[in-house]
Amino acid sequence: MSSRSLRAMTVLTATAVLGATATTAYAAQHTDRRTPGIVGAWARAWNGTDPRALGAVFTADGVYTDEAVAVTFRGRKEISGWKARADSLIDNVHVTVRTARLDGDRVTVQAVYSGHLKGAPKPFAVPMTTVLDLDRNHCRIASDKDHYSLATVLAQSGLPADWTPSAA
């Protein structure tokens, strides 16, 4: 191998090593920004059986919006009521967090929302994106916007697209 070839190979190897090091350093820096514990508390509240636990992870004037069914609730009492309503309509309501990305006071959560609509032939499990705006201490949720496909929930459940829950 000529000295020119050897030098070119050395430069290419060094470039690859430096590039990999820079990428690793960026990834370490990026993942070092820990997701606030509030995301785990939020998921545990959805997965639990006490509706007040969901309200408790919000600020006193927190806002919860379920974009799929176009409803918004304000304050801990209304948010707890929404969880109680969900539990009355859906068996085994469950949120499985896949990823959570913190950017300032906002967390974007990628999750799977699952359960079994009461009276439906089959359970559902759909992708969901939730945007959480946190209080300045990242201890409570000021705003929650859930995005998932209601049409997919109904289709997976074996229900018609125009199905609505009973008023009870």
Side-chain angles (χ1 to χ4, degrees):
M1 186 181 286
S2 73
S3 65
R4 177 177 259 179
S5 297
L6 185 57
R7 197 172 355 165
M9 187 176 295
T10 302
V11 168
L12 288 173
T13 302
T15 302
V17 168
L18 287 174
T21 303
T23 301
T24 303
Y26 173 77
Q29 177 187 13
H30 181 68
T31 57
D32 194 39
R33 295 172 53 197
R34 291 194 168 79
T35 301
I38 193 68
V39 173
W42 169 81
R44 284 189 302 278
W46 266 114
N47 299 338
T49 58
D50 180 4
R52 292 171 298 177
L54 184 63
V57 299
F58 283 80
T59 60
D61 60 348
V63 178
Y64 176 95
T65 303
D66 185 321
E67 298 286 351
V69 292
V71 294
T72 298
F73 302 95
R74 290 175 172 71
R76 292 179 180 142
K77 185 175 179 180
E78 285 187 13
I79 293 166
S80 296
W82 177 241
K83 166 66 170 141
R85 174 85 168 141
D87 287 346
S88 74
L89 295 172
I90 306 168
D91 286 327
N92 305 315
V93 171
H94 198 81
V95 172
T96 304
V97 174
R98 296 291 185 213
T99 64
R101 178 174 166 71
L102 175 65
D103 185 11
D105 292 333
R106 176 168 283 171
V107 180
T108 303
V109 180
Q110 299 293 323
V112 174
Y113 173 48
S114 61
H116 194 149
L117 287 164
K118 292 183 179 179
K122 301 181 289 186
F124 68 88
V126 297
M128 176 174 74
T129 299
T130 296
V131 178
L132 302 174
D133 288 323
L134 307 178
D135 67 358
R136 66 181 178 167
N137 297 320
H138 294 186
C139 295
R140 297 235 189 281
I141 300 167
S143 173
D144 173 319
K145 289 188 179 181
D146 289 349
H147 304 268
Y148 60 92
S149 170
L150 179 58
T152 303
V153 167
L154 295 175
Q156 286 184 9
S157 297
L159 295 170
D162 62 350
W163 180 87
T164 56
S166 64

